[in-house]
Amino acid sequence: MNPLIDKLRATVGAPHVLTDGDLGAWEEDWRKRVRGKALAVVRPGSTAEVAAVVKACAEAGTSIVPQGGNTGLVCGGVPDDSGTEIVLSLQRLNAVRGLDRDNLTLTVEAGCILQSVQEAAEQAGLLFPLSLAAEGSCTIGGNLSTNAGGTQVLRYGNTRELCLGLEVVTAQGEVWDGLSGLRKDNTGYDLRQLFIGSEGTLGVITAATLKLFPRPAASLTAWAAVPSMEHAVRLLELAHGRLGPGLTGFEVMGRFALSLVSKHFPQQRVPFADESPWGVLLENADHESEAHARAQFEGLLEAALEQGLVTDAVVAENLAQAAQLWHVRESISMAQAQEGLNIKHDISVPISRIPAFCEETDALLVREIAGVRLVNFGHLGDGNLHYNVQAPEGADGPAFLREQEDRVNDLVYSQVRRFGGSISAEHGVGALKAGTLPDYKSPVALSMMRAIKQALDPKGVFNPGRVLHR
Amino acid sequence: MNPLIDKLRATVGAPHVLTDGDLGAWEEDWRKRVRGKALAVVRPGSTAEVAAVVKACAEAGTSIVPQGGNTGLVCGGVPDDSGTEIVLSLQRLNAVRGLDRDNLTLTVEAGCILQSVQEAAEQAGLLFPLSLAAEGSCTIGGNLSTNAGGTQVLRYGNTRELCLGLEVVTAQGEVWDGLSGLRKDNTGYDLRQLFIGSEGTLGVITAATLKLFPRPAASLTAWAAVPSMEHAVRLLELAHGRLGPGLTGFEVMGRFALSLVSKHFPQQRVPFADESPWGVLLENADHESEAHARAQFEGLLEAALEQGLVTDAVVAENLAQAAQLWHVRESISMAQAQEGLNIKHDISVPISRIPAFCEETDALLVREIAGVRLVNFGHLGDGNLHYNVQAPEGADGPAFLREQEDRVNDLVYSQVRRFGGSISAEHGVGALKAGTLPDYKSPVALSMMRAIKQALDPKGVFNPGRVLHR
């Protein structure tokens, strides 16, 4: 037997060190792009056990891949195929440690499912606003490690803006208790922000203190038909001015993306489907009343109609209608999967440059690859597009990916660079983009990142080859 | 002559390397606590010149103290008295590089005065919300280096939450162009957040891309008389729920602090001065109209009166009245200076624990030091108090500081630690608190901070002894 495995069994209990049977749930990534092989899956039950596992692995020279709900999209939380990496699953660290109503904070362990965190806040009459498609499976530790985005970033920021403090196990197996519930603390470098978004390469987040918010009295959803991306940007400006922080969501969806929803989920009603090149989903949260929210929202949409920014619009009459509208938005990913394989991009550019970016990049791709189809949708309020490239109709999907993926990525990412954007807006780098990153990231920044990795994890215990490739 | 000085003169031009005459404006700190002696004050005019200065100093083994408006409160931006440190003043880098309306961003150089940044936003009909007492003199580079707080943190966050990108000169004299206007970018470690708040010890911030916001249609100010700190916390909760993000300010002021304003500035009217142990200043920003803001604000205060949370309240009728109310708040620092020397603390604790913290700590100090007077005011909405300790009436101020400062700091900071707080909420560490920090900060955090300092600035070029003491 491997003496490390024995030690890990003694540390966390034999039932929590998995080496046999089907470990696919931990070894295969969410999108089923890669399947690795772990030396073992280790499931500690406390922060002290995490620290002991890290110490044991560091001594044995064995790498650790921290994992939450395994819903990542960039293969950052699954082992490679060497059979030498330990998967450190945080799933058993799932306690809600405490809610402080007057301080508007919630302290939870890393393995809490995002939806449970939302519910813990809701039970206290408060709001934890992070919301994304995988919220029923992803964990808050994974959200923090990848600085998850989602649909409420426009108003509440990314995950890094929702966190006031962390508890982290370092590469030396020490526990940093930084679980501050403080909104202001200027006593040195912001280690919290360094760990957030570092994708498990600098330390293991074991718990966090999160910001809560008062729940709005009402939250309304509207759908607007918009003639162009330029009009969508103008509508965003108008909505910002009239609703201020009441504007909590602003999603844009291209006609082809919506047509896939109509095609594969015919029971869903896509508003203004044939009339308009773009649909925009807006959300307005109001602390006064539903009636006030409705008056404000209708006022905005009337002004937008008058100014020619939208050609038609509807405000959901009730929660069921609002849920239907959001369901259309959330069905795009599934609909494009039904249509066949495609090449996904999670990009951002400054909002002001999005219309030109789309116009130029659409034209470029259509010119370079005959018949290519563009599934373009995303969080326009954050400058973040899921700019996905689908094989021509009837084409062989796997063959298209094999032949075109690198070329399409080059074309799209070169455009992103030209427009001052990012090749990973909210999904992270993981293993998937670690090799590509140096082509698009400043060498000065990369060299600082390597220096920091070396400083905090000199033995390279945590997630080697992810974010910073070997 | 010193060959480094010659080289610096050749780099930035002789008139911008100051070695003679009265250099007090750069050598003495804002509060006139310390006066150092610089080898030279160097005033580069471009990022490239900053890089050249850093390279030359690094080669010569000469330390650099970056400086903005020299308004810091913790002696972090002035040279020591060795005569060997270069003051690197960013004052000449004061261009507004560009405003992107659709992207809601503003790119400015580090030496821009904060008020100029506010005005640049205002001219475009937009808002840059950072606001603090020194805004007419402090620079945005200094605000970023110290992660400045101020009066709008409750709604808009600290300076770190207002910055989307940085340009930084590293300790190797390289320029990192991280001037992204992106709201989402998950391509590696958040270097931006590492430099923000690092007080010039890791690199020199030369420019920044800042977030702008739509300007509210109206912003109203109210003053409420509150019977206790516990009632103030309840009022905060009520205001959060009713106004949501419309609540942009929540300042608390103790009776003694306000009595000093009445005493030293008798022309100022302090509302409800004799009736109430605490005054609360509230601000409500509204994107609809002044009438709507007033109705909301009055509704809140009526509910608070009914619930017994406030004993009296007034909403300013116009901008002049609002300015008068804010002026009272802002006059506290001057009034306590008029009253004599005092021992200042810039602390934070979780908001829920502030009432107990104040009750216990007040009692402790009064017991330990006969006749001591407490000037307690601050940003309650952020859990941040300026908990200042004034000598007994008629006492010799300098003697009081000499005899009691260390003891008072020990008492207050021990209480802060007991309540899970921070010994520097918004002012930073600088040279003033670098020696004290290890007594109150986690050793694991300090050891990570030292590792990062060593990784990014191995020669110790930037601001040695500040934040991390030698």
Side-chain angles (χ1 to χ4, degrees):
Chain A
M1 266 313 293
N2 181 324
L4 173 63
I5 301 291
D6 290 343
K7 195 163 186 183
L8 295 175
R9 288 198 169 120
T11 303
V12 304
H16 302 303
V17 179
L18 315 177
T19 53
D20 302 321
D22 182 6
L23 301 180
W26 295 273
E27 289 177 337
E28 188 173 40
D29 86 296
W30 186 250
R31 283 171 63 196
K32 302 190 189 300
R33 285 180 71 107
V34 299
R35 165 98 193 221
K37 175 80 194 92
L39 176 60
V41 175
V42 182
R43 307 175 71 225
S46 68
T47 301
E49 286 185 9
V50 174
V53 168
V54 171
K55 269 195 181 141
C57 290
E59 276 166 23
T62 296
S63 301
I64 293 170
V65 179
Q67 189 183 85
N70 193 17
T71 63
L73 298 173
V74 289
C75 310
V78 287
D80 65 20
D81 56 10
S82 66
T84 63
E85 295 184 327
I86 291 284
V87 172
L88 177 66
S89 167
L90 280 299
Q91 285 172 311
R92 288 179 62 226
L93 268 78
N94 62 358
V96 173
R97 291 203 191 158
L99 186 144
D100 183 338
R101 176 185 300 274
D102 286 335
N103 198 44
L104 289 173
T105 50
L106 177 66
T107 300
V108 294
E109 292 183 346
C112 283
I113 302 291
L114 173 54
Q115 194 172 312
S116 314
V117 178
Q118 295 166 345
E119 286 166 1
E122 195 172 348
Q123 277 159 25
L126 296 167
L127 174 72
F128 181 65
L130 183 65
S131 177
L132 45 93
E135 62 196 24
S137 312
C138 64
T139 62
I140 191 68
N143 300 146
L144 288 158
S145 299
T146 59
N147 184 30
T151 58
Q152 302 282 299
V153 173
L154 178 62
R155 160 70 181 99
Y156 295 101
N158 297 286
T159 306
R160 72 167 69 256
E161 286 163 285
L162 299 174
C163 175
L164 292 174
L166 291 180
E167 180 187 85
V168 171
V169 173
T170 70
Q172 293 72 40
E174 293 186 293
V175 179
W176 170 48
D177 177 1
L179 283 178
S180 141
L182 303 176
R183 283 179 162 69
K184 284 184 176 172
D185 180 13
N186 278 345
T187 54
Y189 308 158
D190 196 339
L191 301 170
R192 165 193 58 154
Q193 295 296 356
L194 191 58
F195 286 109
I196 296 174
S198 66
E199 303 185 37
T201 63
L202 299 178
V204 181
I205 294 172
T206 50
T209 299
L210 305 169
K211 280 189 204 169
L212 300 179
F213 294 83
R215 289 191 82 78
S219 187
L220 295 181
T221 302
W223 189 292
V226 174
S228 75
M229 192 62 103
E230 185 65 44
H231 287 81
V233 171
R234 295 265 78 76
L235 176 62
L236 175 64
E237 186 188 2
L238 187 70
H240 267 309
R242 290 182 72 119
L243 304 179
L247 182 67
T248 51
F250 197 99
E251 302 284 308
V252 69
M253 298 150 288
R255 179 188 270 158
F256 178 65
L258 292 172
S259 78
L260 292 181
V261 175
S262 298
K263 176 177 170 186
H264 295 288
F265 307 110
Q267 73 285 12
Q268 290 202 36
R269 277 196 49 237
V270 179
F272 321 119
D274 303 319
E275 298 165 38
S276 180
W278 297 96
V280 172
L281 193 62
L282 300 94
E283 194 181 75
N284 177 27
D286 193 288
H287 281 264
E288 187 172 338
S289 65
E290 186 180 327
H292 183 255
R294 198 168 289 280
Q296 286 292 99
F297 222 13
E298 288 174 356
L300 163 68
L301 293 169
E302 275 164 32
L305 274 163
E306 271 170 32
Q307 294 178 30
L309 303 182
V310 313
T311 52
D312 212 338
V314 58
V315 180
E317 287 295 326
N318 49 46
L319 290 178
Q321 273 186 22
Q324 280 168 20
L325 295 178
W326 275 106
H327 191 50
V328 172
R329 161 68 181 83
E330 283 154 8
S331 300
I332 295 174
S333 289
M334 295 263 285
Q336 65 182 350
Q338 296 272 326
E339 184 72 8
L341 286 174
N342 60 65
I343 304 166
K344 292 194 200 309
H345 305 104
D346 164 44
I347 60 165
S348 62
V349 297
I351 297 166
S352 51
R353 308 191 74 184
I354 280 188
F357 171 86
C358 290
E359 195 180 321
E360 275 192 27
T361 312
D362 289 5
L364 181 69
L365 288 168
V366 166
R367 199 165 63 230
E368 292 286 321
I369 304 167
V372 82
R373 299 176 298 168
L374 300 170
V375 183
N376 190 359
F377 63 102
H379 317 292
L380 182 61
D382 318 317
N384 176 199
L385 295 177
H386 299 301
Y387 188 89
N388 300 339
V389 178
Q390 192 108 24
E393 189 147 19
D396 174 3
F400 176 72
L401 249 68
R402 222 166 31 241
E403 290 159 21
Q404 301 287 1
E405 184 163 17
D406 287 348
R407 185 157 158 248
V408 166
N409 286 345
D410 281 352
L411 289 169
V412 172
Y413 292 158
S414 298
Q415 284 290 99
V416 168
R417 179 170 47 198
R418 227 165 70 66
F419 281 83
S422 167
I423 65 163
S424 184
E426 59 176 6
H427 295 168
V429 179
L432 191 66
K433 294 184 183 173
T436 311
L437 192 63
D439 297 336
Y440 299 96
K441 184 110 182 166
S442 135
V444 181
L446 282 168
S447 125
M448 288 193 281
M449 283 166 57
R450 287 192 184 280
I452 291 165
K453 170 73 175 175
Q454 178 65 28
L456 296 187
D457 182 16
K459 291 185 177 171
V461 174
F462 292 131
N463 237 359
R466 284 74 169 187
V467 183
L468 292 164
H469 75 136
R470 286 178 234 234
Chain B
M1 265 314 294
N2 182 322
L4 173 63
I5 301 292
D6 290 344
K7 195 163 186 182
L8 295 175
R9 288 199 168 120
T11 303
V12 304
H16 301 303
V17 179
L18 314 179
T19 52
D20 302 321
D22 181 6
L23 301 179
W26 296 274
E27 290 177 336
E28 188 173 39
D29 87 297
W30 186 250
R31 282 172 64 197
K32 303 191 188 300
R33 286 180 69 107
V34 299
R35 166 100 193 220
K37 175 79 193 94
L39 176 61
V41 174
V42 183
R43 308 176 71 226
S46 69
T47 301
E49 287 184 9
V50 173
V53 167
V54 171
K55 269 195 181 140
C57 289
E59 277 166 22
T62 296
S63 301
I64 293 171
V65 179
Q67 189 182 87
N70 193 17
T71 64
L73 298 174
V74 290
C75 310
V78 286
D80 65 20
D81 55 10
S82 67
T84 63
E85 294 183 329
I86 291 283
V87 171
L88 178 66
S89 167
L90 279 299
Q91 285 172 311
R92 288 178 63 226
L93 267 78
N94 60 359
V96 173
R97 291 203 190 157
L99 186 143
D100 183 339
R101 176 185 299 276
D102 286 336
N103 199 44
L104 290 172
T105 49
L106 177 65
T107 300
V108 294
E109 292 182 346
C112 282
I113 302 291
L114 173 54
Q115 195 172 312
S116 314
V117 177
Q118 295 166 346
E119 284 165 5
E122 194 172 349
Q123 276 161 26
L126 295 168
L127 174 72
F128 181 65
L130 183 66
S131 177
L132 45 93
E135 63 196 24
S137 312
C138 64
T139 63
I140 191 68
N143 300 145
L144 288 158
S145 299
T146 58
N147 182 32
T151 59
Q152 303 282 299
V153 174
L154 178 63
R155 160 70 180 98
Y156 296 101
N158 296 287
T159 306
R160 70 167 71 257
E161 286 163 285
L162 299 173
C163 175
L164 291 174
L166 291 180
E167 180 187 86
V168 171
V169 173
T170 70
Q172 292 73 40
E174 294 187 293
V175 179
W176 170 47
D177 178 0
L179 283 178
S180 140
L182 305 176
R183 282 179 164 66
K184 283 184 178 173
D185 180 12
N186 278 344
T187 55
Y189 308 157
D190 196 337
L191 301 170
R192 166 192 56 153
Q193 295 296 357
L194 190 58
F195 286 110
I196 296 174
S198 68
E199 303 185 39
T201 63
L202 298 178
V204 181
I205 295 172
T206 51
T209 299
L210 305 170
K211 281 189 203 169
L212 300 179
F213 294 82
R215 288 192 83 77
S219 188
L220 295 182
T221 303
W223 189 292
V226 174
S228 74
M229 192 63 104
E230 184 66 43
H231 286 81
V233 170
R234 296 264 78 75
L235 176 62
L236 176 64
E237 186 187 4
L238 187 71
H240 267 309
R242 289 182 74 120
L243 305 178
L247 182 67
T248 51
F250 197 98
E251 302 285 308
V252 69
M253 298 150 288
R255 179 187 272 158
F256 179 65
L258 292 172
S259 77
L260 292 181
V261 175
S262 298
K263 176 177 171 186
H264 295 288
F265 307 110
Q267 73 284 11
Q268 290 202 37
R269 276 197 49 237
V270 178
F272 320 120
D274 302 319
E275 297 165 39
S276 180
W278 297 95
V280 172
L281 193 63
L282 300 94
E283 195 181 74
N284 177 27
D286 193 289
H287 281 265
E288 188 171 338
S289 66
E290 187 181 326
H292 183 255
R294 199 168 289 280
Q296 286 292 99
F297 222 13
E298 288 174 355
L300 164 68
L301 293 169
E302 275 163 31
L305 274 163
E306 271 170 33
Q307 293 178 30
L309 303 182
V310 313
T311 52
D312 211 338
V314 58
V315 180
E317 287 295 327
N318 49 47
L319 290 178
Q321 273 186 21
Q324 279 168 20
L325 295 178
W326 275 105
H327 191 48
V328 171
R329 161 69 181 82
E330 283 156 7
S331 299
I332 295 174
S333 290
M334 295 264 284
Q336 64 183 352
Q338 296 271 326
E339 184 71 8
L341 286 175
N342 59 67
I343 304 166
K344 291 194 200 309
H345 305 104
D346 164 45
I347 59 165
S348 62
V349 296
I351 296 166
S352 51
R353 307 191 73 185
I354 280 189
F357 171 85
C358 290
E359 195 181 321
E360 276 192 26
T361 312
D362 289 5
L364 181 69
L365 288 168
V366 167
R367 199 165 61 230
E368 292 285 322
I369 305 168
V372 81
R373 298 175 299 167
L374 301 170
V375 183
N376 189 359
F377 63 102
H379 317 292
L380 182 62
D382 317 318
N384 176 198
L385 295 178
H386 299 302
Y387 188 88
N388 299 340
V389 179
Q390 192 107 24
E393 190 148 17
D396 174 3
F400 177 72
L401 249 70
R402 224 167 28 242
E403 290 158 20
Q404 302 286 0
E405 184 162 15
D406 288 348
R407 185 157 159 247
V408 166
N409 286 347
D410 281 353
L411 288 169
V412 172
Y413 291 157
S414 299
Q415 284 289 99
V416 168
R417 179 170 48 198
R418 227 165 70 66
F419 281 83
S422 166
I423 65 163
S424 184
E426 59 176 6
H427 295 167
V429 178
L432 191 66
K433 295 184 184 172
T436 311
L437 193 62
D439 297 335
Y440 299 96
K441 185 113 182 163
S442 133
V444 180
L446 282 167
S447 127
M448 288 193 281
M449 282 167 56
R450 287 192 183 278
I452 291 165
K453 170 72 176 176
Q454 178 65 27
L456 296 187
D457 181 17
K459 291 185 178 173
V461 174
F462 292 132
N463 236 0
R466 284 75 169 184
V467 183
L468 292 165
H469 76 135
R470 284 178 234 235

